[in-house]
Amino acid sequence: MSSMPLPPPQPSFVLRGHSVQVHAVHFIQGNSRLLTADADGWVVSWNLSYKRPVAAWKAHENAVLGIRSWGEDRIITHGRDSRLAVWQLGFEDEGALSRVLPVDNPPVTSPHPWLLHMLTVNTLNFCSFAMCLDGIPQPHGGHMAIKAQKQPPPILVAVPNTIDSGGIVAGYESGHTMVFVQSDPGAQFQRLYCAQSHSQPSPFQSSSYRQVSADLKLVLSLAVFPSRDCYVTAAADAIVAKHPLPAVQGIWKTDLKPFKVVQTKHSGQQGLHVRSDGKIFATAGWDGRVRVYSAKTMKEVAVLKWHKVGCYATAFAEMLDSESIETAVDAPTKDEDEEVGESDTTVAKPSTAVSIVQQRRDARAQSTHWLAVGSKDGKVSLWDIY
């Protein structure tokens, strides 16, 4: 008797809060929160223990292109209104914010987090910004001073390229991808790598076909692996390519080529995201499917289909060890601590059954291998995979 085929995988949860397409998703606060941003400029922070919103505000006048975290309580958003905004959003800030979701037509004047910085950027507003930690050495004791003051570490921001601490990885409309590095602060950037792995227009076809072909080789997304030795690109064509990420020492190498170029037969893959352990990466497809690939073999290991329309963004939860999860779960809050007298001594209240259950729920949510997917239908699907 032949075994019955397994049913197609289904998302563990679906977050319904946006009325327009979701352009960006990002996990923060040790996977305890998920940020989602849409084409109307709204940002929603979700509590992953309860799968409920804890904050919602209009961050930009136009679509949000990207969102990232900076330190423990700061996030950066990039909008199509040509602005980069830095917001303060810690656990203690959530109580003063609105929880009315964009789908419920909240007023535009809803409370928003403390706006720390606003930077006007002169871009074509097609690609999102990218950021990384500043690789420039700090003065003696500089890192300790930053940590003591609870300040986020210095960062480098590139609009709209991907930057990797002294190097820039760029993708172009021509299908080219290049790597530029800077040997010393203040020195000129030098190109170390250049490849064109994506579709070429045929000179023997009509002009209209050549125009379509030119559009197909547009690089839509790229992502650097945590090992910082390679990166992957996806374009409007059906190709996913893995490239070397040379260091400054390899500046004279001229024989560098892509590690692997895979013809997936599925056009329009974007929203590339590599999991923090570097083992798998995911793409969001125009066909409504999310494809998960092995980073080592570049083979497709999973196809996730639930959305009926195109998907725009993916994000993996960070792979945390048990110590990191316990630290995040056991972090004291104003409701769990009680000050005694006028001294600085703080005595924790005894754990109740409710708090123990809450801690277990938080730990389970933070340790789950989430994959979040933002779609054109305004919904965000959460998948538990690998």
Side-chain angles (χ1 to χ4, degrees), residues 43-94:
V43 176
V44 179
S45 176
W46 302 84
N47 183 325
L48 290 181
S49 297
Y50 295 101
K51 315 300 183 295
R52 294 289 185 270
V54 293
W57 76 98
K58 190 171 178 63
H60 294 274
E61 296 301 322
N62 210 318
V64 178
L65 296 172
I67 187 166
R68 295 286 298 275
S69 57
W70 179 21
E72 296 181 357
D73 61 351
R74 299 185 184 188
I75 64 171
I76 304 177
T77 59
H78 177 203
R80 195 159 279 161
D81 54 2
S82 300
R83 294 181 177 180
L84 274 173
V86 180
W87 311 86
Q88 178 175 302
L89 185 63
F91 293 125
E92 64 279 2
D93 301 310
E94 295 172 351

Side-chain angles (χ1 to χ4, degrees), residues 163-207:
I163 191 166
D164 178 37
S165 190
I168 295 178
V169 183
Y172 297 90
E173 295 183 8
S174 62
H176 287 86
T177 178
M178 301 182 189
V179 177
F180 302 87
V181 298
Q182 189 181 34
S183 57
D184 297 301
Q188 291 186 346
F189 280 91
Q190 302 182 58
R191 191 178 73 183
L192 296 191
Y193 175 76
C194 178
Q196 188 179 24
S197 304
H198 299 281
S199 298
Q200 299 279 340
S202 171
F204 303 103
Q205 302 293 337
S206 64
S207 59

Side-chain angles (χ1 to χ4, degrees), residues 225-236:
F225 281 82
S227 58
R228 297 293 190 266
D229 59 357
C230 58
Y231 68 100
V232 63
T233 60

Side-chain angles (χ1 to χ4, degrees), residues 232-248:
V232 63
T233 60
D237 60 7
I239 291 175
V240 175
K242 187 178 182 181
H243 306 268
L245 190 59
V248 178

Side-chain angles (χ1 to χ4, degrees), residues 123-134:
T123 69
L124 297 178
N125 295 321
F126 175 76
C127 299
S128 171
F129 81 108
M131 59 168 278
C132 74
L133 295 179
D134 188 351

Side-chain angles (χ1 to χ4, degrees), residues 161-339:
N161 298 319
T162 291
I163 191 166
D164 178 37
S165 190
I168 295 178
V169 183
Y172 297 90
E173 295 183 8
S174 62
H176 287 86
T177 178
M178 301 182 189
V179 177
F180 302 87
V181 298
Q182 189 181 34
S183 57
D184 297 301
Q188 291 186 346
F189 280 91
Q190 302 182 58
R191 191 178 73 183
L192 296 191
Y193 175 76
C194 178
Q196 188 179 24
S197 304
H198 299 281
S199 298
Q200 299 279 340
S202 171
F204 303 103
Q205 302 293 337
S206 64
S207 59
S208 60
Y209 180 85
R210 288 199 298 270
Q211 178 61 45
V212 172
S213 299
D215 293 339
L216 285 177
K217 55 184 183 170
L218 167 69
V219 176
L220 294 176
S221 183
L222 56 85
V224 178
F225 281 82
S227 58
R228 297 293 190 266
D229 59 357
C230 58
Y231 68 100
V232 63
T233 60
D237 60 7
I239 291 175
V240 175
K242 187 178 182 181
H243 306 268
L245 190 59
V248 178
Q249 291 77 7
I251 198 166
W252 302 113
K253 293 183 179 179
T254 59
D255 57 345
L256 294 175
K257 297 180 180 179
F259 288 145
K260 198 161 189 177
V261 178
V262 179
Q263 173 57 255
T264 66
K265 300 181 181 179
H266 306 293
S267 301
Q269 298 185 65
Q270 60 183 31
L272 267 170
H273 196 271
V274 181
R275 198 166 69 176
S276 60
D277 62 358
K279 293 182 178 180
I280 57 176
F281 65 91
T283 63
W286 292 349
D287 58 0
R289 291 171 171 83
V290 174
R291 293 176 171 84
V292 182
Y293 296 88
S294 165
K296 183 177 181 180
T297 64
M298 295 289 287
K299 291 183 178 180
E300 190 178 276
V301 296
V303 179
L304 310 177
K305 177 170 174 53
W306 182 83
H307 299 277
K308 301 265 192 298
V309 291
C311 299
Y312 291 153
T314 65
F316 283 105
E318 186 179 359
M319 302 292 286
L320 301 175
D321 53 29
S322 57
E323 182 178 352
S324 300
I325 294 174
E326 290 175 1
T327 301
V329 170
D330 295 337
T333 64
K334 62 181 180 180
D335 296 328
E336 296 174 350
D337 292 344
E338 180 181 3
E339 293 185 0

